[in-house]
Amino acid sequence: MLLFGSTKENTLKLERLLKRLIFLRRLIGSLYSLIFTIFLFSLNSLNAAYVSILLTVLAPSVYGIALICKASKNTLQHIANASSIIFAVGNVAIIYFAQDINFIWLIIYPTTIAVYSSSTSRYKSLVLFFSIFTVFLILYPILPSYPLLVFLMTYTLVFTFSHLFSMHINIDNQTLAQLALKDSLTGLQNRRALEMKMSEESSSIEGVIFLDIDWFKKINDTHGHIFGDDVIKALGDVILKNKALSDEAYRYGGEEFVLTCKHAKSSKLSAEQIHKKVQEIEFQNGCHITVSVGVALKNANESLTELIKKADQAMYQAKQTGRNQIVFATELEALYLNKRES
Amino acid sequence: MQILDLVRQSLRDKNAEQQLRSYFIGLQGVLAFLFITPFAAMRFFNDELFKAAIDIILVLGMGSLSTYTLLFANKRHINFIVYVFASFYILGSIAVVYFSDIYTVMWTYAAAISSYFILSSKQAILASLAILISCLIIGFSRFTAEEVFLVSTTFVLTCILSFILSVQITHDRRVIENHSFYDALTGAKNRTLLIRELQNAIEEQVRSKKNLSLITFDIDHFKTINDTKGHDIGDQVLKEIVYTANSLLKPEQNIYRLGGEEFFILTHCNDNQSKLLAESIRDLVEKTPNSSDLTVTLSLGVAIYKQGESLQSWTERADKALYASKENGRNQVTVAA
């Protein structure tokens, strides 16, 4: 218990820290440019100082305007991507204008990691590669070969590590997004995933299968909740193994499952296959389960939400007329399928 | 191929964070070899034997450590190795600035960023501070004021940004790990964790003979709430009940959700205390006004762990007690025989 007891609170603490840090990051970027502007003015590199002023003012003002206009999260991200590219190009320009200041090229190190930390664009590595190439061209005539070599090598290391950082964050974000849409017990997609799909305007779904375990409450009450969960897990496995490849399976609620099918014909086959295989599952205590299945096929212009409702009603019909059977939403559809088959 | 098997073997008995670290240590060993060896050779041929020796010590030290980490190190070693690796970075940075020419200050950037991959975020901040301060002290006489300014500002910015990135990675990893153990809707622990912790508790009970009791509860007529008010209200009710029940529990007592509307609570109370706890949960949930103006009641079952009982029979007894509460008219507590 101790092993996992504190993890959740630690994570919450981390989350708060992270939010503050991300806010701080915007502040630091401008503050840094501001200090740099003063530094460049004091050394009389006027052109470089102008670029630095631009960097100080541009990013926060664009971001501020976007916030005031209540831009969407996507737009804000695009702005962040664009301003990180501007930051990279601007810093290269500063290096170019302030060539006579020794060690000015050091600013390319934080620039690299700044671009990696705020941009989600796929092209950031490309942008950085070109900027470092430009910096190399600028430095080539002024630096002796030994420092140039050190510069290239250390920069390669910094670049590699920043790249690794952002790669890991990308992978983690993808995993997180997937986890949020997954049902942890069965490994199928969850209700949220189905609702997301329902909100999409055009769907290529031709049929919906609605499954419900018969007498599940009774199973839970007589064999215990842990066994009840085993049943749901086993059913999830059967669905995964017996559905058509193009079908997608969701756990809709407690003991309800939904399959969306891309082909009208596969929906009938999958439904029959799953209905048959469920009866063959053997549990350790000799218990068997059955399912009631409702199938609805798409008529012209029906939305996925309507289809699911129809399949749900068909499933209800199956429950009412004796359970352990498949019922199609309308007799017409069943006829249509039989005709196509013969 | 045998080497790869060894690597896999040594990675398997570490947790996610340690795996990531050993992978980075391995990578940094390779990079150190690739990037420092040419300089060692160059210094050797330039008759700068002392500097070449330092380079070679760095390469050999980091190379052998990373090989050891990837092949043999276990959980406990890795924390130690990480510190040795970090001290290599600090000492190496100091050495290059002290013994070599002024341009080698650039190596410190690579060393600082590297430390964020193997140390925890806070430790890495300390390591990079150590690098910065020692380099400034050593290099102060050789740098001009502008150079000191440039080095310190760019270095600090690099470190802060690396720190933010490494906090983000740690955070994401934790969330991913938590996801397999916590219920997303209510924040209660999930079934995987319930079974694991019940088993642990039974094993510990055999040794310590402490009281162990399981309270299980179920929301009365939850299906009706879901069917008449919709799933959103149902979800809200679940959340509120977990919140209410949690307010009565001590920090070491946890609620587990088994999916659906069934919950478990594991406590170290005796039968009287557990019954009281169960009663107070029932009472509080009944009296707490609900955001959707529904009267929600609970049926509860309590089962005290009997010496030598199996996990299965224990949970079954708790379930039966819950079932008895339901049979007798709901909204009540039953203690299992």
Side-chain angles (χ1 to χ4, degrees), chain A residues 113-224:
Chain A
I113 196 149
V115 169
Y116 268 110
S117 79
S118 60
S119 165
T120 53
S121 160
R122 235 180 281 167
Y123 305 110
K124 59 195 167 198
S125 300
L126 205 66
V127 171
L128 282 171
F129 181 78
F130 278 112
S131 33
I132 196 62
F133 188 67
T134 324
V135 172
F136 182 74
L137 289 183
I138 299 167
L139 293 182
Y140 191 71
I142 27 178
L143 275 187
S145 63
Y146 169 69
L148 209 58
L149 185 67
V150 178
F151 173 71
L152 274 185
M153 284 205 147
T154 51
Y155 183 78
T156 313
L157 282 176
V158 171
F159 187 80
T160 315
F161 284 127
S162 319
H163 192 83
L164 277 178
F165 261 136
S166 85
M167 209 174 74
H168 273 278
I169 287 177
N170 282 348
I171 293 172
D172 289 350
N173 280 341
Q174 279 169 14
T175 321
L176 276 173
Q178 280 168 5
L179 278 177
L181 300 176
K182 213 168 163 184
D183 175 55
S184 60
L185 183 62
T186 55
L188 303 181
Q189 301 187 63
N190 64 14
R191 197 191 169 87
R192 211 177 308 155
L194 186 62
E195 270 161 8
M196 262 174 71
K197 193 147 193 192
M198 278 154 76
S199 64
E200 284 169 17
E201 268 179 27
S202 63
S203 78
S204 55
I205 303 302
E206 292 288 325
V208 167
I209 305 173
F210 205 106
L211 283 128
D212 193 299
I213 306 175
D214 295 333
W215 307 113
F216 186 69
K217 192 94 188 147
K218 213 170 171 186
I219 296 173
N220 253 343
D221 289 344
T222 45
H223 297 283

Side-chain angles (χ1 to χ4, degrees), chain B residues 56-77:
Chain B
I56 286 170
I57 289 172
L58 281 178
V59 171
L60 286 184
M62 277 149 89
S64 54
L65 261 181
S66 60
T67 318
Y68 178 76
T69 312
L70 279 183
L71 295 185
F72 311 112
N74 63 22
K75 271 184 205 171
R76 255 164 280 145
H77 290 159

Side-chain angles (χ1 to χ4, degrees), chain A residues 22-311:
Chain A
I22 286 176
F23 175 73
L24 197 69
R25 192 173 65 196
R26 303 192 196 294
L27 215 70
I28 290 171
S30 310
L31 196 70
Y32 175 76
S33 303
L34 184 70
I35 295 173
F36 226 75
T37 314
I38 300 168
F39 170 72
L40 289 169
F41 267 121
S42 73
L43 289 182
N44 259 336
S45 319
L46 291 182
N47 283 333
Y50 296 145
V51 177
S52 193
I53 289 180
L54 208 66
L55 290 185
T56 316
V57 180
L58 202 64
S61 54
V62 170
Y63 200 83
I65 291 169
L67 272 185
I68 290 166
C69 300
K70 289 190 179 144
S72 71
K73 225 175 179 182
N74 246 340
T75 322
L76 286 181
Q77 191 55 55
H78 284 312
I79 291 172
N81 289 350
S83 56
S84 67
I85 289 172
I86 293 172
F87 193 64
V89 177
N91 276 312
V92 174
I94 291 176
I95 294 176
Y96 175 73
F97 287 128
Q99 281 176 29
D100 50 331
I101 302 173
N102 208 1
F103 277 106
I104 188 75
W105 67 87
L106 282 180
I107 61 173
I108 202 71
Y109 293 95
T111 306
T112 306
I113 196 149
V115 169
Y116 268 110
S117 79
S118 60
S119 165
T120 53
S121 160
R122 235 180 281 167
Y123 305 110
K124 59 195 167 198
S125 300
L126 205 66
V127 171
L128 282 171
F129 181 78
F130 278 112
S131 33
I132 196 62
F133 188 67
T134 324
V135 172
F136 182 74
L137 289 183
I138 299 167
L139 293 182
Y140 191 71
I142 27 178
L143 275 187
S145 63
Y146 169 69
L148 209 58
L149 185 67
V150 178
F151 173 71
L152 274 185
M153 284 205 147
T154 51
Y155 183 78
T156 313
L157 282 176
V158 171
F159 187 80
T160 315
F161 284 127
S162 319
H163 192 83
L164 277 178
F165 261 136
S166 85
M167 209 174 74
H168 273 278
I169 287 177
N170 282 348
I171 293 172
D172 289 350
N173 280 341
Q174 279 169 14
T175 321
L176 276 173
Q178 280 168 5
L179 278 177
L181 300 176
K182 213 168 163 184
D183 175 55
S184 60
L185 183 62
T186 55
L188 303 181
Q189 301 187 63
N190 64 14
R191 197 191 169 87
R192 211 177 308 155
L194 186 62
E195 270 161 8
M196 262 174 71
K197 193 147 193 192
M198 278 154 76
S199 64
E200 284 169 17
E201 268 179 27
S202 63
S203 78
S204 55
I205 303 302
E206 292 288 325
V208 167
I209 305 173
F210 205 106
L211 283 128
D212 193 299
I213 306 175
D214 295 333
W215 307 113
F216 186 69
K217 192 94 188 147
K218 213 170 171 186
I219 296 173
N220 253 343
D221 289 344
T222 45
H223 297 283
H225 289 130
I226 293 193
F227 178 72
D229 275 2
D230 285 337
V231 168
I232 286 176
K233 226 175 175 175
L235 180 59
D237 282 345
V238 167
I239 290 176
L240 270 183
K241 275 183 198 143
N242 293 293
K243 71 181 181 60
L245 277 179
S246 57
D247 294 353
E248 283 188 77
Y250 304 86
R251 183 171 171 210
Y252 192 67
E255 71 269 25
E256 297 161 334
F257 294 81
V258 167
L259 275 95
T260 56
C261 314
K262 286 220 169 95
H263 310 290
K265 204 170 169 184
S266 84
S267 61
K268 194 195 172 198
L269 288 177
S270 304
E272 280 173 353
Q273 186 73 3
I274 292 168
H275 179 249
K276 200 177 101 198
K277 290 282 177 188
V278 164
Q279 298 170 49
E280 292 169 12
I281 312 174
E282 269 204 51
F283 293 98
Q284 278 182 342
N285 53 7
C287 189
H288 282 272
I289 56 163
T290 57
V291 284
S292 301
V293 186
V295 181
L297 298 179
K298 187 177 182 175
N299 293 330
N301 288 332
E302 260 180 335
S303 72
L304 182 56
T305 320
E306 285 164 332
L307 263 180
I308 291 174
K309 206 171 171 188
K310 256 169 65 184

